[in-house]
Amino acid sequence: MSALLRGVLLYGEGEPVDVLIEDGVISRIGAGLDEGDAEVIEAQGKVLLPGFVDLHTHLREPGREDTETIATGSAAAALGGYTAVFAMANTDPVADTQLVVEHVWRKGQEVGLVDVHPVGAVTVGLKGEKLAELGTMARSTAGVRVFSDDGHCVHDPLLMRRALEYSKALDAVIAQHAEEPKLTVGAQANEGEVASRLGLAGWPAVAEEAIVARDCLLAKHTGGRLHVCHVSTTGTVDVLRWAKARGTGVSAEVTPHHLLLTDELLASYDPVNKVNPPLRTSVDVQALRAALAEGVVDCVATDHAPHAPQDKDCEWSSARPGMLGLQTALSVVAQTMVVTELLDWRGVARVMSERPAQIAGLPDQGRPLAEGEPANLALVDPDARWTVRGADFASISDNTPFEGMELPARVVLTMLRGRITAHEGKVCG
Ligand SMILES: NC(=O)N[C@@H](CC(=O)O)C(=O)O
């Protein structure tokens, strides 16, 4: 199949060009290209970016197919401009064996809308007691390169040390959910003025920062590779800056919701705003935006966390933490980083595609927009404005904290190795 994107702006820059895609590859870039027998897609003024890579997605299969499946999550990813996602290991059964990671990998391939890379658990059953068989998962067909107990912190420093040592041998990365559990027992909201006013037990910033600091020291000591999941506090940014300056093998992600929302939203007591780590203060939001622009925080990851109505439409303290993210990520990043002029579209390509692909070691994702490169692409309408409706999403669940919000910019087309996977809000293939 071949396609010609007519009149796009590469990274939103320069003069409009045509991009010809043949056999899964960008074959030509230039003005006024002859379409031959290619399907022509009129894309005047649209911004062409490399397809997005999400290092942190909960697809819920196996185990909670009532909330999301590999098929519905892949559809949401394609609609959001993603060409690769990393499916977190906190499924049922947990992705801590070759059997489970290969199952997820195979299902993702069968669906074929996005490359689904299973994340392997660091510890057996996410219990934090014994290392899972990292080597077996790495050598499996799924070729696991990202390991995480996300949802749980690898709390035991000896286990974390060993995991980081393995990461070196396996050319992998350990993605840590940084939460000192002894400091967050019963926690419901960011520890601070809002939580006190609402009578909610606090989740202090130091619970994240203490683990990030410890893990950066361990990563430096072992020479292993650490990735910090969903950075949420100003203090974590300070620790990361310090650790990177002394040559630590550490990278970090921030979620779209932590770039936009604050704990002031909790006044409604609507559990759609309950998430782990919790929404923080506007000071944290500003620090996270600046850190992403500067590169201290490397990339954006959604932490797409679908939940069933019975787990969200309930009393705050019994609601599960987590929010949808795949279909709103680009627009929230546009709102928080592009409209504010903290990043241009080339910067968006860096934080949503290039850096996550590098961190996970994906050779064919996050590549430059150039002839001969694989056609993993996201086409964005920079002038679109749209209103978020969770019920319209491809996800089975609809727990979006952005419901009813008007957001800028929208993904209009996604291509995976030259095949259109989403176009004008519809999934293809
Ligand atoms: N990020 C979330 O709020 N939820 C995650 C797991 C977790 O980190 O608690 C989930 O799996 O639902």
Side-chain angles (χ1 to χ4, degrees):
M1 186 208 126
S2 53
L4 183 79
L5 303 176
R6 185 79 83 195
V8 300
L9 302 172
L10 303 182
Y11 303 101
E13 296 166 358
E15 295 298 316
V17 290
D18 299 344
V19 176
L20 183 64
I21 291 125
E22 294 173 302
D23 302 324
V25 169
I26 299 176
S27 58
R28 285 199 63 195
I29 298 179
L33 293 186
D34 180 7
E35 70 245 38
D37 52 11
E39 177 189 352
V40 176
I41 296 155
E42 294 299 340
Q44 275 76 15
K46 306 288 190 294
V47 173
L48 190 64
L49 300 175
F52 308 144
V53 175
D54 191 11
L55 290 178
H56 195 144
T57 316
H58 296 276
L59 292 181
R60 303 298 191 218
E61 184 179 350
R64 284 305 301 266
E65 291 86 349
D66 58 318
T67 64
E68 195 77 293
T69 65
I70 291 168
T72 60
S74 293
L79 289 163
Y82 287 91
T83 48
V85 299
F86 284 76
M88 274 299 169
N90 65 338
T91 48
D92 184 11
V94 169
D96 58 0
T97 59
Q98 176 173 358
L99 197 70
V100 180
V101 295
E102 285 186 344
H103 171 78
V104 172
W105 167 255
R106 219 176 15 254
K107 273 266 173 117
Q109 292 280 302
E110 278 163 25
V111 174
L113 291 171
V114 59
D115 289 343
V116 175
H117 296 279
V119 173
V122 177
T123 69
V124 174
L126 309 175
K127 287 188 167 51
E129 290 163 1
K130 191 167 109 188
L131 279 189
E133 295 198 351
L134 309 190
T136 310
M137 289 188 272
R139 285 186 294 272
S140 74
T141 317
V144 178
R145 287 292 175 276
V146 180
F147 294 94
S148 183
D149 274 6
D150 180 63
H152 303 263
C153 182
V154 181
H155 181 232
D156 180 334
L158 182 58
L159 276 180
M160 192 60 187
R161 174 189 179 159
R162 295 283 177 253
L164 286 164
E165 285 165 353
Y166 270 105
S167 76
K168 254 195 324 186
L170 301 173
D171 193 22
V173 59
I174 308 298
Q176 173 73 296
H177 171 119
E179 173 180 353
E180 167 50 65
K182 299 227 163 157
L183 292 175
T184 60
V185 176
Q188 295 291 332
N190 177 46
E191 182 176 292
E193 192 249 311
V194 174
S196 311
R197 184 157 31 93
L198 301 176
L200 294 170
W203 197 131
V206 69
E208 176 173 302
E209 293 151 8
I211 294 293
V212 176
R214 179 202 77 174
D215 288 354
C216 284
L217 292 168
L218 286 171
K220 177 80 174 152
H221 181 72
T222 57
R225 275 212 306 132
L226 170 69
H227 177 74
V228 182
C229 294
H230 39 53
V231 170
S232 71
T233 81
T234 310
T236 297
V237 171
D238 293 340
V239 173
L240 288 170
R241 185 179 285 108
W242 167 80
K244 285 185 167 192
R246 64 198 291 269
T248 307
V250 62
S251 57
E253 68 188 36
V254 61
T255 70
H257 47 269
H258 287 108
L259 289 172
L260 182 60
L261 309 177
T262 70
D263 61 353
E264 294 289 346
L265 283 175
L266 274 50
S268 67
Y269 285 104
D270 184 344
V272 79
N273 298 310
K274 183 169 175 178
V275 68
N276 201 9
L279 299 179
R280 304 286 186 185
T281 67
S282 54
V283 172
D284 295 304
V285 166
Q286 295 308 323
L288 294 170
R289 290 181 187 183
L292 184 64
E294 193 188 335
V296 173
V297 169
D298 299 76
C299 64
V300 171
T302 66
D303 195 6
H304 179 83
H307 284 299
Q310 67 269 24
D311 295 323
K312 275 301 203 183
D313 302 341
C314 54
E315 195 253 323
W316 180 279
S317 62
S318 41
R320 296 208 184 186
M323 310 173 154
L324 298 189
L326 287 169
Q327 285 182 250
T328 43
L330 181 273
S331 300
V332 175
V333 169
Q335 168 92 358
T336 55
M337 302 299 294
V338 181
V339 172
T340 54
E341 297 186 354
L342 288 163
L343 286 180
D344 55 14
W345 290 109
R346 195 173 279 272
V348 173
R350 169 167 61 81
V351 301
M352 293 190 70
S353 179
E354 292 160 12
R355 283 298 291 139
Q358 287 161 2
I359 290 164
L362 298 183
D364 65 338
Q365 299 278 350
R367 300 290 307 163
L369 299 174
E371 292 177 1
E373 293 288 354
N376 295 317
L377 303 170
L379 186 68
V380 173
D381 180 352
D383 302 317
R385 290 201 71 84
W386 63 290
T387 303
V388 178
R389 298 269 172 248
D392 297 341
F393 286 168
S395 285
I396 295 173
S397 303
D398 62 1
N399 54 302
T400 172
F402 309 112
E403 181 73 27
M405 245 184 231
E406 200 189 65
L407 292 175
R410 199 162 196 187
V411 174
V412 290
L413 181 135
T414 310
M415 222 180 235
L416 178 65
R417 288 183 282 281
R419 196 161 44 78
I420 297 172
T421 53
H423 191 193
E424 303 287 4
K426 300 231 167 4
V427 175
C428 307

